[in-house]
């Protein structure tokens, strides 16, 4: 089972992941938790460049670095785990690229498809998208620590990202489950847990 978690800044992915980790551990459900960018040793180096706000990247260069990170991630972590029938949960994956580089950085969908399709990344069985109004998310994210290269962007950038996620969720309703992140942390966790368990029981 391959599950991905998506959402924009401050949507509560980290809190949800901590709660899911505990829940799976307590219930003897084995899951490999991983993330993008930066899950592999090679990816960690790419992540440094991607988040460094002193580095100016062309949107396409940014995309290539993210895809290189994903290729390492898929080949070294995700595919080997799925081949052994393990459960994998990735904090961000393909939908992030369409939202951030597509809508955010304005690379058109066909161009992105042309870069991405030949790489044959596995499609997630389930994607949980945490949705939050942009103002709210930025307030939460910016209250935390130093801003990275993405978090520094203006509000329009994040509005485009949110709209793109919402559209993707509508278009791919068989795969993407949207959770309203203005709910309490407990409610968000319960909704995500129930949805994951249902999927696990179906398979
Ligand atoms: P990270 O510190 O992991 O934050 P978050 O908690 O928001 O996931 O930062 C990763 C950043 O990389 C995040 O701002 C989104 C961005 N990103 C893309 O722009 N495209 C992608 O394909 C991926 C995987 C991430």
């Amino acid at each position: 089972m391959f599950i991905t978690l998506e959402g924009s800044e401050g949507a509560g992915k980290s809190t949800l992941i901590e709660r899911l980790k505990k829940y799976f551990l307590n219930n003897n459900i084995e899951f490999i938790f991983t993330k993008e960018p930066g899950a592999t040793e090679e990816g960690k180096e790419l992540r440094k460049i991607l988040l460094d706000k002193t580095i100016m990247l062309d949107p396409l260069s940014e995309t290539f670095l993210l895809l290189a990170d994903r290729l390492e991630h898929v080949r070294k972590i995700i595919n080997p785990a799925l081949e052994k029938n393990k459960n994998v949960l990735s904090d961000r994956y393909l939908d992030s690229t369409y939202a951030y580089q597509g809508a955010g950085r304005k690379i058109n969908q066909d161009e992105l498809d042309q870069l991405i399709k030949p790489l044959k990344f596995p499609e997630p069985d389930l994607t949980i998208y945490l949705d939050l109004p942009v103002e709210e998310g930025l307030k939460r994210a910016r209250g935390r620590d130093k801003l990275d290269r993405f978090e520094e962007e203006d509000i329009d950038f994040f509005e485009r990202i949110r709209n793109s996620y919402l559209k993707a969720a509508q278009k791919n309703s068989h795969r993407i489950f949207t959770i309203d992140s203005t709910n309490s942390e407990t409610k968000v966790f319960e909704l995500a847990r129930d949805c994951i368990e249902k999927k696990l029981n179906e398979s």
Side-chain angles (χ1 to χ4, degrees):
M1 175 75 51
F2 180 27
I3 297 176
T4 60
L5 186 57
E6 296 282 351
S8 54
E9 319 299 312
K13 287 189 292 109
S14 308
T15 309
L16 175 59
I17 286 170
E18 286 319 305
R19 293 188 78 148
L20 287 173
K21 271 186 188 164
K22 269 193 208 139
Y23 176 78
F24 291 144
L25 198 68
N26 290 340
N27 290 275
N28 288 321
I29 304 172
E30 207 192 320
F31 251 94
I32 294 171
F33 283 86
T34 182
K35 70 170 291 169
E36 290 190 359
T40 61
E41 283 308 311
E42 298 69 21
K44 285 196 182 83
E45 298 302 314
L46 296 168
R47 178 185 170 89
K48 279 188 210 154
I49 304 172
L50 281 161
L51 297 191
D52 184 344
K53 59 186 165 197
T54 66
I55 296 178
M56 304 296 284
L57 287 172
D58 181 273
L60 267 180
S61 310
E62 180 179 285
T63 305
F64 280 118
L65 294 184
L66 284 157
L67 294 180
D69 172 71
R70 184 160 306 134
L71 200 62
E72 296 297 319
H73 190 201
V74 164
R75 295 208 170 153
K76 292 179 177 154
I77 297 176
I78 297 177
N79 277 346
L82 296 178
E83 276 156 21
K84 287 185 204 132
N85 275 325
K86 299 219 160 123
N87 297 317
V88 177
L89 192 151
S90 181
D91 177 2
R92 295 198 183 282
Y93 187 64
L94 259 180
D95 295 297
S96 282
T97 309
Y98 284 95
Y100 280 74
Q101 281 61 51
R105 303 287 194 217
K106 301 186 177 170
I107 299 179
N108 80 49
Q109 164 122 22
D110 288 345
E111 203 174 343
L112 272 185
D113 280 343
Q114 276 176 25
L115 296 177
I116 290 172
K117 297 274 181 264
L119 301 174
K120 300 203 165 23
F121 294 132
E123 170 160 285
D125 299 295
L126 169 69
T127 296
I128 293 176
Y129 164 56
L130 299 187
D131 180 56
L132 192 66
V134 171
E135 293 263 11
E136 177 80 13
L138 289 181
K139 233 191 288 167
R140 289 192 198 172
R142 290 181 172 162
R144 284 200 296 247
D145 39 25
K146 276 193 285 163
L147 301 185
D148 64 35
R149 217 170 52 79
F150 292 96
E151 289 163 345
E152 274 205 330
E153 291 295 330
D154 61 18
I155 193 146
D156 288 353
F157 176 79
F158 293 105
E159 290 288 1
R160 290 198 297 279
I161 288 171
R162 183 182 184 211
N163 289 334
S164 158
Y165 271 131
L166 287 170
K167 254 195 232 153
Q170 231 173 20
K171 203 170 129 201
N172 300 287
S173 54
H174 60 285
R175 168 174 70 85
I176 304 182
F177 180 72
T178 303
I179 296 180
D180 177 352
S181 245
T182 61
N183 279 304
S184 68
E185 281 175 18
T186 301
K187 181 76 186 167
V188 170
F189 160 69
E190 286 168 358
L191 288 165
R193 175 201 62 197
D194 291 351
C195 175
I196 293 172
E197 287 216 311
K198 187 163 161 251
K199 198 80 199 174
L200 287 172
N201 290 335
E202 274 169 22
S203 68

